[in-house]
Amino acid sequence: MDTGRGGDVLSHVLATYKSERAVTARFSLSAPWALHSSGVDGPLIRMCTGAPYWIAVDGAEPVQVAPHDIAMLPQGVAHTVSSAPGLEPLPFRALIEAHSVGRHGDHPIVFAHGGGGAATELFSLHLWMPAQGLGSIIASLPALIVLRQAQIPTTASLAQAMQSLVNETVAQRPGWQLSAARMADLLLVHILCEHLYAQPQVPADLHADQADQAGQVGQVGQVGRLRGLDDESIARAMSLMHERPGQPWSVATLAQASYLSRTVFSERFRALVGVTPMHYLGSYRMTLAAEKLKNRQLSLHQVAESVGYASEKAFSRAFQRWTGLTPSAYARRHGAG
């Protein structure tokens, strides 16, 4: 494995965060219209054809999204979509409940709404991932990511794939639910890759205090932890943590493996990734443990050992701090079957 390439580490990271299912929707909207979402668990991807629309994360200024641009809310935060800024929104929930069939996610959601003006066809894809499954990468991304077709050529093909996926699920042919979940995972990977490589470069020798003086700490925070995947030394450390999460890593051993001094490694990791190396490792270990507990293939001792804990009690305390649930309670609530 070439640990100097961000995409390799990204594959390791995202392999753990598979969607349980994907909820697809197609909304036929005509101006004027405005709809508010109170938020969902997991990433939400939107794309439109026809007239452009506006999207505003709660508390932020609205952003216009053109046809075939991709808008993603990695944490599914509360937001408003509308034909123009300033319109009084209706809650999505009321319209969705009126047009849903069965349990949420069992069937695609299709409805028409609006005042009869300019038409927007809005395609939506919700990756059903409980908060604990988001992990340290996705959970630290900006609240809203927009890939512009005019700026990123591959956006057009991603938009076409998403449109086809949603339209095919509406037909509900046999196997559509599994196909939707797997295609949603692929779209997520491609969107994150494009977002990563569209970001401005942060100098490799930039220390945290220098970044602060240069006014780049906020920029790094907006880029999120994906930024570290594009730095050869930090990507190597992240790759090692993902390849061998059970190894007793320390800042010193990770710095040595990254060919950096402990001080430089710690400062660069925090500046690029946004947290300390040990915080990142702990978060990944808990995400991995949660996935193993859901599948119920290992005993508690085996799960603890696989993520670097020799003691079941120490693991249980750490896991409960992270999720709010004991490992056994988490397995009962989220376990397969």
Side-chain angles (χ1 to χ4, degrees):
M1 174 178 173
D2 179 4
T3 55
R5 295 177 61 88
D8 291 333
V9 188
L10 188 62
S11 295
H12 277 275
V13 172
L14 294 180
T16 312
Y17 311 131
K18 295 178 182 177
S19 54
E20 295 178 1
R21 64 182 188 273
V23 182
T24 59
R26 188 178 68 201
F27 310 127
S28 298
L29 307 166
S30 57
W33 60 270
L35 297 168
H36 180 262
S37 168
S38 57
V40 295
D41 288 332
L44 182 64
I45 306 171
R46 298 199 188 279
M47 187 278 298
C48 82
T49 59
Y53 72 98
W54 293 78
I55 184 168
V57 172
D58 283 7
E61 291 297 314
V63 174
Q64 190 175 41
V65 182
H68 301 105
D69 287 352
I70 300 282
M72 184 172 79
L73 300 114
Q75 305 93 24
V77 296
H79 65 285
T80 297
V81 289
S82 60
S83 57
L87 299 174
E88 186 66 26
L90 291 174
F92 253 116
R93 184 182 301 276
L95 287 171
I96 289 175
E97 288 177 351
H99 294 86
S100 293
V101 178
R103 186 180 64 132
H104 183 56
D106 281 349
H107 302 276
I109 303 166
V110 180
F111 65 73
H113 172 74
T120 299
E121 197 78 2
L122 186 62
F123 299 84
S124 292
L125 184 60
H126 170 208
L127 284 73
W128 192 270
M129 291 180 174
Q132 289 87 357
L134 292 176
S136 56
I137 292 290
I138 296 177
S140 65
L141 286 166
L144 174 65
I145 293 171
V146 180
L147 300 185
R148 304 286 185 186
Q149 182 182 215
Q151 299 170 351
I152 303 174
T154 55
T155 302
S157 60
L158 293 177
Q160 184 177 12
M162 180 172 172
Q163 183 176 348
S164 298
L165 169 61
V166 173
N167 285 335
E168 288 175 6
T169 61
V170 170
Q172 297 186 61
R173 296 173 181 171
W176 72 270
Q177 289 180 320
L178 179 60
S179 174
R182 295 298 171 262
M183 285 295 294
D185 287 338
L186 287 174
L187 276 169
L188 177 65
V189 171
H190 284 290
I191 291 169
L192 290 178
C193 285
E194 293 297 346
H195 172 67
L196 167 63
Y197 290 111
Q199 301 309 312
Q201 294 293 316
V202 178
D205 58 352
L206 186 70
H207 290 184
D209 56 344
Q210 294 172 318
D212 187 33
Q213 294 169 8
Q216 294 184 6
V217 167
Q219 182 187 64
V220 171
Q222 287 300 307
V223 172
R225 300 175 191 185
L226 287 173
R227 183 73 270 153
L229 304 183
D230 210 27
D231 178 280
E232 182 174 355
S233 296
I234 301 307
R236 181 179 292 109
M238 294 171 73
S239 178
L240 288 170
M241 285 187 269
H242 282 267
E243 288 177 348
R244 288 176 268 167
Q247 186 161 324
W249 295 111
S250 65
V251 172
T253 57
L254 288 168
Q256 183 178 21
S258 303
Y259 307 113
L260 296 172
S261 71
R262 178 171 176 165
T263 300
V264 170
F265 170 72
S266 296
E267 290 181 346
R268 190 185 297 182
F269 195 101
R270 188 178 182 91
L272 294 177
V273 182
V275 295
T276 66
M278 291 298 99
H279 186 282
Y280 179 86
L281 176 61
S283 180
Y284 176 68
R285 282 172 167 171
M286 293 299 102
T287 301
L288 189 62
E291 189 68 22
K292 292 177 183 293
L293 288 168
K294 283 194 297 184
N295 293 333
R296 298 184 180 181
Q297 296 175 339
L298 301 174
S299 68
L300 180 59
H301 175 74
Q302 289 172 318
V303 172
E305 191 175 54
S306 71
V307 294
Y309 286 83
S311 164
E312 289 183 27
K313 289 184 178 180
F315 166 71
S316 295
R317 286 195 298 268
F319 190 85
Q320 188 166 8
R321 283 196 302 270
W322 189 72
T323 63
L325 296 171
T326 64
S328 57
Y330 183 90
R332 285 194 300 270
R333 179 175 297 185
H334 299 285

